[in-house]
Amino acid sequence: VDLKECLQSAEFISSSNENFKILEDGSVYTTSAVSLSAEKKTFTILLKDIQEHVQKTIHVSLVEEEKKKTRHARDTVLKRTKRRWGPIPSVMIENSLGPFPLQIQQVQSDTAQNYTIYYSASGPGIDQDPKGLFYIERETGNIFATRAVDREQYPSFQIICFATTPDGYSPEVPLVHTIRIEDDNDNAPYFTQDLFEFSVPENSKPGIVVGKVTAEDRDEPYTLHTTLKYRIVSQNPPVTPAFSLHGDTGVIAVLLPQLDRELVSSYTLLVEVRDMAGQPFGLCTTGTAVIRIEDTNDNAPCFKQTQYETRVEENRVNVEILRVSVVDLDEPGSPGSGAVYEIIRGNDDRSFEITTDKNTNEGILCVVKGLDYESAKQRILVIAVNNEAPYMLAPHSQQLSQSTSSVTVHVLDVDEGPVFKPCHLRLDVKECEEIGKSIGRYLAEDPETGNSEGICYRIPPGQCNWISIDEKSGEVRTIKVLDRDVEEMRRGQCNITVLAIDRNGKTGTGTIQVVIQPGNKNYPRITKTEYIMCRDRKPICLTAQDGDESPYSTPFVYRITDRSLASMWKITRHNDNSVYLSPKGDIPFGTYEIPVSVIDNGGKVGENLVKVNLCDCVTPTECDTSPRGNSNGNVTLGVWAILAMILGSLLLLLILITICGCCGSGVMHRHVTDDCANHNLIISNTEAPGEEVMDHNVIPLQNTNDQGGYGIKTGDQQTFEMVKGRGHTLESVKGGGHQTLGSVKEGGGQPMMDTCRYSYSEWHNFTHPRLGEKVHLCRQDEEQKHSEDYLLSYNYEGKGSLAGSVGCCSDQHEEEALDFLDQLEPKFRTLAETCVKR
């Protein structure tokens, strides 16, 4: 590389890759064997001009040469090569004493006469190239060292030697010559730490590893100069050797079988490390190792005194009466020396308590429950002590017994107030007791005398005002009737504080808990007493209530007190407070008033009258005769409801008048045809079976009904007459709708006979099949099954209609007769309620 073309004054030349070196003349050499891969290998030459502060770079790429083709063996031609110069590597003793310059090696070439070198140091001082350390004689090729070398700084050198002819030609390849610095034991080993600190529990077994000391040597590794040996020089305190030190590894182990912290808490070892495998002429260094003995709880605490005495006044609470102390050889402040006190005897009533003062490790004995001088004048306690940590038995030692101490506590007498016995008294009293009834006594005693003489009792104000106590005798009485329904007694109990005062004015307090027990003060009663039972005779559920609590309420016992009604009705149990009421057999329809007595669990009897309307109905609403309406109890009909009723009545009246008009003017004995009638409809109050009518002229209303019915009888006078059958009316048929005859023709003046017959026949043909169908359908139940009879016989029909007769020959023609609208039947009342204005 022509450096001058790149930079005029290149004061510093370097390479980015340490495997390549650039000489001052621009030559590039490899400093070590280089392996080139198939890819290009590149590095950079750096040129610096320190004065001008200029820097340039030259990029160099190396390409592997192509391998020449190999020839066969027969084609191989031996080629003579020139002998190369190659001296053996040189060795220079570290810290050599000279004399200097010291000849190290001589390199010669057969063809060259002038020699120059370029050297480089390998090792820690590679960045500090020792200029002038070596030089070569230009004419002879002798290599000299100018001064001594430190191997730790420069382990070896590589010198590149050049051989040239006088005219400057280099016939030889540059020679790389290695100069190795042979180590001298000039460095003593040293410990890695100034002070080694270890710890081991006391009573550890021999062979337990404590720690390891380490040392280093800067001389050449893997030589005697760096082969180290350790040993313990001394031990402080100078007692029986307690530890051993491995010479090769520096491991410290336990040697003494009994390490007792209480005797020696720590050991200081002076250790030595020496190179040359520990030989006496080797270099050595000493260090310090401190081994601390860790405490274990191998010493039990012991009381300083085995007996203590103390005094305390009776009834004193939460007061300190004594402090006890112990001796423990274990390390202070550790769990092995922390004392835990307990009272093991004499504290059955839990009157005393002992705790530990963490600062002094003393036991503090306190009274937590007042003592009674009259009960015991002194108490003897036995106190034991342990440690927080569990006890560890030392080798070759016996189990220690627990240390105990006795404490005698003298109780001092103090004048006390009365004491209630018991301090809390419960009194149960039944509800509704009389005023002034005694419910118990509550007495107090003087602790000194043991009797109740001279003690008076009072109840402080502001408490239950329905209990009092006699001032002298302590008798507790009621001053009000106890009723749990009263607001102040609703809770059912009351706690009363009672004061007892002796002759000296000392007071004592006690508590009375008065509990009101529920009483049997209420009669059981049936909540609902009016019922409607239809023809299905479904049982009625009677339910009773009692305001009392258990055990004076349920279960209830029901009975029918009337014997005659008891033979017709029966009661079946449902649950504790309900029963079913049902008839026995087929009893007549009607309203029954059944007296039923209900007996609660306390024996109290409540009389009840149950009214049952046994009605011939399908649903109870058909027999519900109670008035319905607005909040005032009256039914107010709207205008449209009244008009609808009036139009319906007029339409029915028009039909009847039309029928009667076809038959004549209403004269009782008028000659008419066979199909006309001249009699009004007969109002009958009874429906008993009538006389047998065998006239073949009777026209039946329904051929399928063999029980008879209303018919029309014709006689010799050619008049119409409604004849009763066997006691059945058409009105008894429920569910039939009103049929209207749209084909009825009105006749003016004197109608013709044919017209009258045609009108009656047309009416008969229109109503006969429809009436039969309605009668057939109305007597079916919900499952579409026919009842036994279509028509039922009634012994009592009731009063006639308030509206009067609406027969075709009626003389009533008052337009203002609308009073019947205020007294309608159930079905018409339902219609009226539907049409009423809300």
Side-chain angles (χ1 to χ4, degrees):
V1 179
D2 190 355
L3 300 180
K4 293 182 179 181
E5 293 183 0
C6 299
L7 195 63
Q8 294 295 330
S9 176
E11 298 178 358
F12 183 78
I13 305 172
S14 63
S15 172
S16 63
N17 193 333
E18 61 181 5
N19 293 325
F20 303 94
K21 199 72 175 178
I22 298 89
L23 303 183
E24 294 179 354
D25 59 355
S27 303
V28 180
Y29 291 90
T30 58
T31 60
S32 61
V34 178
S35 176
L36 298 177
S37 61
E39 299 179 357
K40 294 181 180 180
K41 193 174 186 69
T42 61
F43 66 95
T44 304
I45 299 175
L46 303 176
L47 307 176
K48 292 184 180 179
D49 188 346
I50 300 177
Q51 296 179 357
E52 300 290 337
H53 298 286
V54 179
Q55 178 177 344
K56 288 190 177 183
T57 59
I58 302 174
H59 299 283
V60 180
S61 298
L62 300 181
V63 182
E64 185 178 4
E65 294 180 354
E66 295 182 359
K67 295 183 180 180
K68 298 181 179 181
K69 296 182 180 180
T70 58
R71 287 183 169 182
H72 296 285
R74 62 178 179 269
D75 298 335
T76 302
V77 178
L78 295 179
K79 186 177 179 180
R80 184 175 179 273
T81 59
K82 188 176 181 180
R83 186 181 62 181
R84 298 184 59 189
W85 60 328
I88 63 174
S90 302
V91 175
M92 181 181 177
I93 303 299
E94 181 185 14
N95 301 319
S96 177
L97 298 178
F100 295 98
L102 179 64
Q103 183 179 355
I104 297 175
Q105 184 63 270
Q106 181 182 14
V107 293
Q108 287 184 349
S109 175
D110 296 339
T111 58
Q113 296 179 1
N114 298 328
Y115 302 94
T116 58
I117 63 170
Y118 180 85
Y119 56 89
S120 63
S122 62
I126 193 172
D127 294 334
Q128 299 177 1
D129 202 0
K131 299 288 186 179
L133 179 59
F134 300 97
Y135 70 92
I136 187 170
E137 288 184 347
R138 185 177 182 85
E139 294 80 8
T140 61
N142 292 327
I143 301 175
F144 294 91
T146 60
R147 63 181 181 274
V149 179
D150 186 2
R151 193 206 67 85
E152 286 70 39
Q153 186 178 6
Y154 301 106
S156 64
F157 294 90
Q158 285 183 344
I159 298 176
I160 303 175
C161 302
F162 299 90
T164 61
T165 59
D167 56 358
Y169 172 70
S170 296
E172 300 288 347
V173 177
L175 173 65
V176 178
H177 183 65
T178 301
I179 302 175
R180 187 175 64 84
I181 307 301
E182 186 176 349
D183 183 45
D184 182 24
N185 190 19
D186 58 342
N187 292 285
Y190 61 93
F191 285 102
T192 57
Q193 295 179 218
D194 296 335
L195 178 66
F196 293 92
E197 293 182 342
F198 307 104
S199 62
V200 62
E202 64 177 329
N203 301 317
S204 296
K205 295 180 180 180
I208 297 296
V209 176
V210 177
K212 181 180 180 181
V213 293
T214 58
E216 294 179 354
D217 196 326
R218 289 191 293 269
D219 290 326
E220 186 176 359
Y222 311 109
T223 63
L224 283 176
H225 298 167
T226 56
T227 302
L228 307 180
K229 284 288 185 178
Y230 302 90
R231 73 183 183 93
I232 298 176
V233 177
S234 63
Q235 172 184 296
N236 189 25
V239 293
T240 304
F243 304 95
S244 63
L245 178 61
H246 195 279
D248 296 330
T249 61
V251 174
I252 301 176
V254 176
L255 181 63
L256 187 66
Q258 294 180 352
L259 292 176
D260 191 354
R261 190 207 65 85
E262 287 71 36
L263 296 178
V264 180
S265 60
S266 66
Y267 293 86
T268 301
L269 303 180
L270 181 63
V271 295
E272 177 191 83
V273 59
R274 185 181 293 269
D275 59 9
M276 300 301 291
Q279 297 183 29
F281 54 82
L283 302 178
C284 66
T285 304
T286 59
T288 304
V290 177
I291 302 174
R292 188 175 62 87
I293 308 301
E294 294 180 349
D295 181 47
T296 58
N297 189 22
D298 57 345
N299 295 280
C302 181
F303 283 101
K304 291 183 178 180
Q305 295 180 224
T306 58
Q307 292 182 352
Y308 292 90
E309 286 191 13
T310 184
R311 291 175 176 79
V312 63
E313 294 180 353
E314 64 175 334
N315 300 324
R316 293 288 303 275
V317 180
N318 297 327
V319 58
E320 177 184 333
I321 61 174
L322 181 66
R323 280 181 175 253
V324 296
S325 58
V326 296
V327 176
D328 197 325
L329 298 178
D330 292 319
E331 184 177 1
S334 66
S337 64
V340 178
Y341 301 90
E342 61 175 338
I343 303 174
I344 61 175
R345 192 162 54 248
N347 192 30
D348 297 335
D349 57 352
R350 306 292 181 183
S351 298
F352 299 91
E353 185 180 86
I354 187 168
T355 58
T356 303
D357 188 341
K358 297 298 182 180
N359 298 324
T360 62
N361 209 28
E362 294 178 324
I364 304 174
L365 182 63
C366 299
V367 178
V368 294
K369 187 185 296 183
L371 302 178
D372 188 4
Y373 174 82
E374 288 72 26
S375 300
K377 294 180 176 57
Q378 71 177 13
R379 300 283 296 273
I380 299 177
L381 308 176
V382 178
I383 302 174
V385 62
N386 291 305
N387 288 131
E388 297 177 3
Y391 179 76
M392 297 182 62
L393 187 65
H396 311 290
S397 63
Q398 297 180 355
Q399 182 68 39
L400 297 178
S401 60
Q402 188 181 35
S403 178
T404 59
S405 178
S406 64
V407 179
T408 302
V409 180
H410 298 281
V411 182
L412 304 179
D413 187 22
V414 177
D415 186 13
E416 303 173 272
V419 177
F420 282 97
K421 295 186 177 180
C423 60
H424 186 278
L425 178 64
R426 172 174 172 150
L427 298 177
D428 294 337
V429 57
K430 289 186 178 181
E431 195 175 8
C432 300
E433 291 288 355
E434 297 179 356
I435 299 177
K437 180 176 178 57
S438 174
I439 61 176
R441 296 184 67 189
Y442 197 30
L443 300 178
E445 296 180 356
D446 192 335
E448 281 73 23
T449 61
N451 55 50
S452 303
E453 296 180 359
I455 299 177
C456 59
Y457 306 92
R458 294 178 185 174
I459 296 178
Q463 303 187 70
C464 298
N465 57 358
W466 32 278
I467 296 296
S468 64
I469 188 171
D470 188 86
E471 185 175 355
K472 300 297 182 182
S473 63
E475 193 82 18
V476 181
R477 298 179 179 276
T478 61
I479 57 178
K480 286 186 179 181
V481 177
L482 304 184
D483 189 355
R484 293 168 62 93
D485 295 334
V486 179
E487 181 66 28
E488 59 184 6
M489 306 178 192
R490 193 173 300 275
R491 293 179 56 191
Q493 70 177 26
C494 182
N495 294 332
I496 304 173
T497 300
V498 182
L499 300 179
I501 307 173
D502 61 7
R503 295 186 181 94
N504 298 327
K506 297 286 185 178
T507 60
T509 60
T511 303
I512 300 177
Q513 183 183 26
V514 181
V515 180
I516 304 175
Q517 299 293 337
N520 195 11
K521 64 178 182 179
N522 296 306
Y523 295 91
R525 60 183 182 86
I526 298 176
T527 56
K528 183 180 179 182
T529 56
E530 293 187 4
Y531 298 91
I532 297 177
M533 180 180 289
C534 291
R535 66 170 67 97
D536 56 0
R537 302 176 188 271
K538 184 177 180 180
I540 297 170
C541 184
L542 301 179
T543 302
Q545 290 183 351
D546 194 333
D548 298 323
E549 297 180 2
S550 179
Y552 301 110
S553 55
T554 59
F556 298 135
V557 178
Y558 292 76
R559 292 178 183 174
I560 300 177
T561 56
D562 190 289
R563 292 186 177 180
S564 60
L565 292 175
S567 62
M568 302 172 63
W569 297 83
K570 65 179 180 178
I571 290 177
T572 306
R573 179 180 174 82
H574 177 217
N575 52 32
D576 288 348
N577 61 341
S578 301
V579 295
Y580 288 116
L581 177 65
S582 59
K584 295 181 178 179
D586 190 9
I587 63 176
F589 293 102
T591 302
Y592 296 86
E593 295 184 353
I594 307 170
V596 179
S597 63
V598 184
I599 307 172
D600 60 15
N601 196 35
K604 209 154 194 176
V605 182
E607 299 293 342
N608 302 268
L609 188 62
V610 180
K611 183 177 181 181
V612 180
N613 182 10
L614 183 58
C615 179
D616 183 15
C617 59
V618 177
T619 59
T621 56
E622 298 180 9
C623 292
D624 189 4
T625 58
S626 60
R628 302 178 183 179
N630 55 10
S631 60
N632 296 328
N634 299 324
V635 177
T636 304
L637 300 179
V639 177
W640 292 106
I642 298 176
L643 291 177
M645 292 181 181
I646 294 175
L647 291 177
S649 302
L650 293 178
L651 181 60
L652 180 62
L653 183 61
L654 180 61
I655 294 173
L656 296 178
I657 292 175
T658 304
I659 296 173
C660 295
C662 297
C663 301
S665 59
V667 182
M668 293 300 294
H669 301 284
R670 182 180 178 184
H671 295 281
V672 295
T673 59
D674 295 339
D675 292 339
C676 295
N678 58 354
H679 280 275
N680 296 331
L681 295 178
I682 301 174
I683 300 176
S684 175
N685 292 332
T686 60
E687 287 188 317
E691 59 190 19
E692 296 292 336
V693 180
M694 303 300 297
D695 194 342
H696 65 278
N697 292 324
V698 176
I699 302 174
L701 292 179
Q702 185 173 349
N703 297 331
T704 59
N705 188 358
D706 57 355
Q707 296 183 5
Y710 281 103
I712 300 177
K713 178 181 178 181
T714 58
D716 296 337
Q717 292 83 9
Q718 298 295 323
T719 61
F720 290 103
E721 182 180 2
M722 302 301 294
V723 182
K724 290 189 299 181
R726 296 177 62 185
H728 298 283
T729 65
L730 190 59
E731 295 177 356
S732 65
V733 181
K734 303 292 182 181
H738 295 283
Q739 300 289 341
T740 59
L741 184 62
S743 60
V744 177
K745 301 178 181 180
E746 298 181 358
Q750 297 295 332
M752 300 297 296
M753 184 178 298
D754 294 339
T755 304
C756 177
R757 180 179 302 169
Y758 174 79
S759 299
Y760 177 76
S761 300
E762 186 175 339
W763 174 81
H764 179 267
N765 294 335
F766 178 80
T767 58
H768 180 73
R770 290 165 174 78
L771 184 59
E773 180 181 359
K774 293 295 183 181
V775 173
H776 177 71
L777 295 176
C778 70
R779 295 306 298 167
Q780 290 182 355
D781 56 10
E782 295 179 355
E783 297 180 359
Q784 303 300 324
K785 295 181 180 180
H786 294 288
S787 301
E788 297 178 358
D789 295 319
Y790 288 114
L791 303 178
L792 300 177
S793 300
Y794 290 88
N795 294 329
Y796 176 74
E797 187 178 11
K799 298 180 180 180
S801 174
L802 297 178
S805 175
V806 292
C808 61
C809 297
S810 176
D811 295 331
Q812 183 178 357
H813 299 288
E814 298 179 3
E815 296 180 358
E816 297 81 16
L818 299 178
D819 296 337
F820 68 96
L821 295 177
D822 294 332
Q823 298 176 352
L824 300 175
E825 293 301 322
K827 291 184 178 180
F828 285 91
R829 186 178 296 108
T830 302
L831 178 62
E833 291 178 354
T834 303
C835 300
V836 73
K837 286 185 177 181
R838 298 297 182 185

